Amino acid sequence: MLNDIAIRLYRRFSKKAGAGTDLSADAVLDGNSAAALAEAGVCSAAAVSGNGPAAETLWRQLVWQRDTNVFGEPLQTLESEGPRGAIAAASGLTLAGCRATAFLSGTDLAGCDDLLRSAVGRHLPLVIHMVNQATPAQGYGVGSGHETLHQTSDSGCFLLFAANVQQVADLSLIARRVAETALIPGILVMDREATARSAQELSVPAPDLLSEYLGPAHGEMASPTPAQQLLFGENRRTVPLWHDLNRPMMLGTRMQPEAYALGSAGQGPYFQDHLGETIDRAFERYGELSGRRYGMLSTWGMEDADQVILIQGAAEETARAAADYLRGEGLKIGVLGVRCLRPFPAALLLEQLAGRSGVLVMERLDAPGAGDPPLLRELRAAFARALENNRFGAGTHKDLPQLDTLQLPRLHSVVYGLGGAPLQGADLVACLRKPVDRPPGRTYLGLRFYGTSNAHPKRQVLLDQIRRAYPGIEKLGLRAQGAPPDLRPDGALSIEIRRLPGRGGQGLALDAAALLRQLSGGRIRTLSAPDEDDCAAWLTDRLIRAPQGPGYPGDDAPVDLALIATPDRSGTLAPLPNLCEKGVLILVGNNEKPAALQPSGGAFPRVVRERQAVIYRLPESEYRSHGSAHADTGPGELDDAFLLGGLCSVLMERGLLDTSESRLLSSWEANLSGTERRDALLAAFEAGNRAPVPFVLDTLEDSDSARPEAWEDIPPPAVRQLGNVANTYDSLSRFWDQTGILYRNGEQDDLTSDPFMAIGAVPPLTSSFRDLSDLRRKLPVYDAAACSGCGACWSACPDSAIGVTAFTPAGLLNAGIKGAGADAVRQVSSKLAARIGSLCSSGELQGENAGGLLRGAWTWLLEKAPLPE
């Protein structure tokens, strides 16, 4: 779905990028699209896997827009059944002298190590794009993880890491030049949610730059190293034609151990040892042509830094924001980003870090049993070699400096973002505020291993048992308390969009990012919600626009405007913890009194009142459809255009967007040139622009009176039926008391790490904990005659099939009491619900008997508390 949205933005904002089109203009694209766009300019083929992060749909759309690359070569796509097939196809194309690329996720590439080593051994100038994704462990993570990044680091490929979308486009070209010069394959890495799926501003490299920097694959270049001069002569083809019918030979032959050892040992001096110099020259040349200069490391505030954050990937932007914030408090903190992991820039790191008081080595993976995570291990080894130089002479490790023990900084291991967990700016600030002489060991940022107090007694018993058995466990994690600091640069605008999967607003954040970039310039960052695999969970998309400064200041950045894009008929929205004081709230729906602001909304209305939010109501658009929202101008995009018009109208009215209505409409209209159904999109935007209606805050009811009655706080029926069982890993009652009840009450922030979390086991019947009735649009039909009890439906349905579609007696009675306003009978409703449940369990209620009892129950309720006139 996100790839389809990226295609929509690409089509709209790059104006039919056909041959001869100037692609140097600014655009707003996500990282996947930027990589595909850069490769489509210089490659002749791409090998794609159907389950890759940039699937064949995305590549094909870009190919269809540009039939040839900038050298006039036709573009082709090779589809494969899996990631190994994609790597094999790309390798075959490169052997035939073609420029080829492949798009894979980290989990896909994890099983291709032998193919990567083969590509290295055969000296294929291949570039692979890898999107970081957490590898499965105790569970399956949907977010970023750096496990595969370090797994592939010993394959022999060089590794470049892009921290934002602009770097994705630029480093794609730099990696291509390095691979073709050094004859070593490269892997360009990006984080999943913060780069690959994040819409950001992008200056697309112009065709002239591509031609000057790379030239055609069949062009000629001077052999850059003595080894290559021996192999090819003074000049060689830019992409060697290893499979040439006019010069037949055999590659990848079976070798005896002695011959294999000689060939393997020769990779270092004849090829790998030239790689660092080749990368430096490629960086320098690209800077001369584009004005954007890169190096193996990126620095921020390192001139006078006392403490240093060493980090990789998109989190570098949050680290820079935290460093700037703490410099205002007098702390001298710098950020050192690792842009090139292979070859490892040991000498450059030591040059930057020697003599500092402390270094926080932040890594997005854990390394059980290894002592230290991989980046910290390599840094310790580099310092150890520098100490050997001081003891045994500079020639011991000739590329490294001589250091004494007084120049060694205190190294601290900080693990963050496991499985895609968000990096909160407040947690990072709290970590940096701790004294430099903090106790050694690893810190898990944003996680807790112990809660000092808990409202649920059985969970508190578990926490106390863990603390007694593992003294000091509470010091292992660090999570900030209190209001988060505002790490945003001056003039920043933050927008939060909440929606339900498939209910509209899927592309709203991306559309808004592109339009705000055109109207106001500056830096744009979106953070889309994870995969939409939970039909019951509210999803949150975030957008930040800033005039300058670090890009993304963390997931806990204050929110100036929150838009609830899905009509909320359940009144069960979670609170808005980051909404600014007097922030703006837009609710979509036709109700004069939105459900989310009623007492049943729990803490949501209380937070809105406390923050003195300014509320607007945006009527539900006539374009809203539950059909496909993926088409370029289908119902989903029309609805997004309506919502975007309303969003921009409120931004202008509140002074958060400095523009005129005429300029806003003309900018939107200009973006639609060449787009099908342009008039319909323009009309939808204009209709949304006129639609917002202020909501008077005085009509907001007090949510303190909405506390649930005691009878509603009983365990789910499945737990009560099982009774008391042992508190082991498969106990449903144990799971409810320690985990399920936190989710039911919206207290997920109180979760801590425990042994049950560590094995990732979920007992049966947990799907019955969730009530999806407010979100359900249709019910499955259960045919008892056709059911064989095979259980196949359980794995096919994420909520365990038919079980969650049944209403409990307590749920039915509660709905009736709420609908009839029969509060007087609450005290006896629990007994009635228990009686109905007992009769159902005994088999006495079936067919007409069950209907008769329920009708009798409703009649009794109405007699006690008749419906209002």
Side-chain angles (χ1 to χ4, degrees):
M1 189 274 296
L2 289 171
N3 282 338
D4 296 323
I5 293 174
I7 292 167
R8 177 204 300 181
L9 287 176
Y10 173 80
R11 286 179 173 178
R12 183 180 300 167
F13 295 104
S14 58
K15 309 294 195 310
K16 295 290 184 181
T21 301
D22 181 11
L23 294 181
S24 60
D26 283 348
V28 174
L29 290 176
D30 62 18
N32 278 335
S33 303
L37 182 61
E39 293 289 13
V42 298
C43 283
S44 58
V48 295
S49 169
N51 57 346
E56 59 268 15
T57 303
L58 175 59
W59 177 264
R60 277 179 169 176
Q61 293 290 349
L62 295 175
V63 169
W64 290 337
Q65 295 294 324
R66 308 181 62 205
D67 297 329
T68 62
N69 61 20
V70 298
F71 307 110
E73 300 168 342
L75 299 176
Q76 59 177 319
T77 303
L78 294 183
E79 301 178 18
S80 64
E81 295 182 355
R84 293 182 62 85
I87 296 291
S91 299
L93 289 165
T94 308
L95 284 166
C98 299
R99 275 201 180 115
T101 187
F103 299 92
L104 298 170
S105 68
T107 52
D108 287 338
L109 203 58
C112 301
D113 187 70
D114 57 327
L115 297 180
L116 293 178
R117 292 176 182 273
S118 176
V120 171
R122 300 184 187 195
H123 301 285
L124 305 182
L126 173 66
V127 175
I128 298 170
H129 295 269
M130 183 180 83
V131 175
N132 278 325
Q133 183 174 345
T135 55
Q138 77 283 354
Y140 185 87
V142 298
S144 289
H146 292 177
E147 294 86 357
T148 306
L149 165 68
H150 291 281
Q151 176 183 328
T152 59
S153 62
D154 292 332
S155 64
C157 300
F158 68 89
L159 273 72
L160 301 181
F161 206 141
N164 55 51
V165 171
Q166 184 65 64
Q167 291 183 20
V168 170
D170 293 339
L171 294 182
S172 295
L173 304 176
I174 293 171
R176 180 69 56 184
R177 183 179 176 109
V178 172
E180 293 176 358
T181 303
L183 295 183
I184 296 174
I187 301 175
L188 178 59
V189 185
M190 53 181 155
D191 285 324
R192 192 182 194 209
E193 59 276 359
T195 306
R197 296 185 170 193
S198 172
Q200 302 176 12
E201 78 281 354
L202 170 68
S203 180
V204 182
D208 290 346
L209 186 151
L210 304 183
S211 300
E212 177 70 19
Y213 189 63
L214 292 173
H218 56 76
E220 192 174 80
M221 64 179 294
S223 298
T225 66
Q228 291 192 33
Q229 291 172 8
L230 290 173
L231 290 170
F232 302 103
E234 292 299 320
N235 298 294
R236 66 168 174 86
R237 196 176 188 269
T238 301
V239 179
L241 191 60
W242 293 112
H243 283 181
D244 188 348
L245 296 179
N246 296 321
R247 303 176 67 179
M249 64 174 179
M250 181 178 292
L251 287 175
T253 60
R254 180 183 177 88
M255 305 178 73
Q256 294 298 320
E258 295 81 2
Y260 181 93
L262 292 171
S264 182
Q267 302 291 337
Y270 303 131
F271 291 94
Q272 294 284 348
D273 289 354
H274 297 287
L275 191 51
E277 183 182 357
T278 301
I279 293 176
D280 288 337
R281 288 199 302 265
F283 281 145
E284 181 179 359
R285 180 57 177 159
Y286 193 80
E288 293 172 356
L289 294 176
S290 69
R292 295 185 291 275
R293 300 189 177 276
Y294 297 100
M296 290 190 176
L297 301 177
S298 64
T299 60
W300 185 274
M302 291 294 295
E303 297 79 9
D304 61 344
D306 184 43
Q307 293 190 72
V308 177
I309 305 171
L310 183 64
I311 199 165
Q312 306 170 91
E316 181 182 334
E317 294 191 340
T318 305
R320 290 182 175 188
D324 281 354
Y325 179 84
L326 289 175
R327 279 182 172 269
E329 299 181 358
L331 297 179
K332 296 179 180 179
I333 297 175
V335 179
L336 193 61
V338 180
R339 187 168 290 125
C340 178
L341 185 62
R342 287 292 184 272
F344 187 69
L348 295 176
L349 285 170
L350 296 183
E351 178 184 342
Q352 291 286 343
L353 298 178
R356 313 284 183 177
S357 62
V359 179
L360 270 67
V361 185
M362 297 186 61
E363 303 187 62
R364 199 163 203 160
L365 80 164
D366 204 355
D372 288 321
L375 184 59
L376 180 55
R377 286 202 301 267
E378 298 208 47
L379 186 60
R380 288 194 196 278
F383 274 112
R385 294 198 300 272
L387 290 176
E388 289 182 1
N389 277 352
N390 187 57
R391 181 178 181 183
F392 302 116
T396 306
H397 303 284
K398 61 181 181 180
D399 295 330
L400 299 181
Q402 293 178 267
L403 299 179
D404 59 42
T405 55
L406 296 178
Q407 294 176 282
L408 297 183
R410 189 74 178 268
L411 302 179
H412 306 279
S413 175
V414 178
V415 175
Y416 75 97
L418 298 178
L423 174 59
Q424 309 280 10
D427 296 333
L428 184 53
V429 167
C431 185
L432 291 168
R433 280 175 174 158
K434 297 180 71 174
V436 175
D437 59 349
R438 62 171 63 83
R442 193 172 306 169
T443 298
Y444 290 86
L445 199 63
L447 303 180
R448 290 189 299 170
F449 287 75
Y450 180 78
T452 54
S453 63
N454 195 280
H456 308 289
K458 293 185 179 180
R459 176 160 183 82
Q460 190 62 48
V461 169
L462 170 67
L463 297 177
D464 293 340
Q465 288 175 333
I466 293 174
R467 193 179 190 187
R468 286 194 297 270
Y470 298 90
I473 189 71
E474 68 277 4
K475 298 179 181 179
L476 199 55
L478 189 154
R479 188 167 184 177
Q481 302 295 321
D486 189 352
L487 305 185
R488 300 176 299 170
D490 293 338
L493 169 66
S494 301
I495 298 173
E496 185 171 288
I497 298 169
R498 291 198 180 185
R499 56 188 175 84
L500 288 172
R503 306 291 185 91
Q506 287 90 338
L508 181 57
L510 297 171
D511 282 345
L515 187 57
L516 288 177
R517 168 68 179 177
Q518 183 173 3
L519 289 169
S520 307
R523 308 200 69 182
I524 293 290
R525 295 290 183 274
T526 68
L527 193 70
S528 298
D531 288 346
E532 299 182 359
D533 57 357
D534 189 342
C535 64
W538 285 92
L539 304 176
T540 301
D541 300 325
R542 295 180 176 87
L543 164 63
I544 293 181
R545 190 209 67 84
Q548 57 184 358
Y552 196 75
D555 280 18
D556 55 347
V559 175
D560 297 303
L561 183 148
L563 184 148
I564 314 301
T566 304
D568 176 38
R569 300 181 177 90
S570 65
T572 56
L573 272 174
L576 299 162
N578 299 330
L579 186 67
C580 293
E581 192 76 16
K582 296 184 179 179
V584 182
L585 175 64
I586 304 176
L587 298 172
V588 175
N590 297 323
N591 294 333
E592 293 296 331
K593 290 187 175 182
L597 297 180
Q598 303 310 308
S600 59
F604 183 83
R606 183 170 64 252
V607 171
V608 171
R609 180 183 290 278
E610 290 172 353
R611 304 291 165 83
Q612 302 179 36
V614 179
I615 306 173
Y616 288 82
R617 183 173 61 85
L618 185 62
E620 190 171 357
S621 79
E622 61 187 70
Y623 310 103
R624 187 173 296 274
S625 169
H626 297 314
S628 173
H630 300 179
D632 184 41
T633 51
E637 190 171 6
L638 291 174
D639 184 54
D640 288 350
F642 177 86
L643 295 175
L644 180 60
L647 173 65
C648 292
S649 175
V650 174
L651 286 174
M652 292 170 58
E653 183 173 334
R654 302 307 305 175
L656 299 174
L657 178 60
D658 185 14
T659 190
S660 64
E661 183 176 354
S662 59
R663 182 166 178 258
L664 174 67
L665 294 176
S666 62
S667 297
W668 176 251
E669 185 175 7
N671 289 333
L672 302 179
S673 61
T675 304
E676 297 178 8
R677 296 180 62 186
R678 168 183 169 278
D679 293 341
L681 287 167
L682 182 59
F685 183 84
E686 291 178 339
N689 198 248
R690 298 188 298 266
V693 177
F695 184 86
V696 181
L697 188 62
D698 292 341
T699 63
L700 207 166
E701 299 186 34
D702 190 356
S703 63
D704 290 336
S705 62
R707 295 173 182 172
E709 300 292 335
W711 77 276
E712 291 184 312
D713 203 32
I714 57 179
V719 176
R720 299 199 307 272
Q721 290 172 3
L722 290 177
N724 295 323
V725 293
N727 289 327
T728 53
Y729 65 90
D730 59 342
S731 168
L732 183 67
S733 59
R734 190 276 314 162
F735 183 86
W736 168 256
D737 292 331
Q738 297 173 0
T739 303
I741 195 170
L742 298 181
Y743 280 93
R744 196 279 306 275
N745 294 346
E747 301 172 352
Q748 296 94 315
D749 289 345
D750 290 340
L751 286 170
T752 58
S753 178
D754 58 52
F756 300 103
M757 289 280 191
I759 65 171
V762 179
L765 300 178
T766 53
S767 63
S768 62
F769 294 173
R770 306 175 67 182
D771 180 9
L772 306 181
S773 56
D774 290 321
L775 304 170
R776 188 181 299 113
R777 298 194 298 270
K778 57 184 180 180
L779 294 174
V781 176
Y782 175 65
D783 186 351
C787 179
S788 64
C790 67
C793 59
W794 301 348
S795 59
C797 175
D799 289 302
S800 299
I802 198 71
V804 293
T805 68
F807 293 97
T808 64
L812 284 170
L813 293 174
N814 185 31
I817 290 172
K818 291 171 64 177
D823 293 329
V825 297
R826 283 187 182 273
Q827 57 185 347
V828 296
S829 59
S830 59
K831 296 180 180 179
L832 181 59
R835 178 59 177 160
I836 296 174
S838 176
L839 293 174
C840 290
S841 300
S842 64
E844 296 181 31
L845 286 186
Q846 294 182 2
E848 295 182 1
N849 290 336
L853 180 58
L854 289 176
R855 283 192 297 272
W858 286 119
T859 302
W860 179 81
L861 284 173
L862 292 176
E863 289 175 353
K864 294 292 184 180
L867 290 171
E869 296 294 334

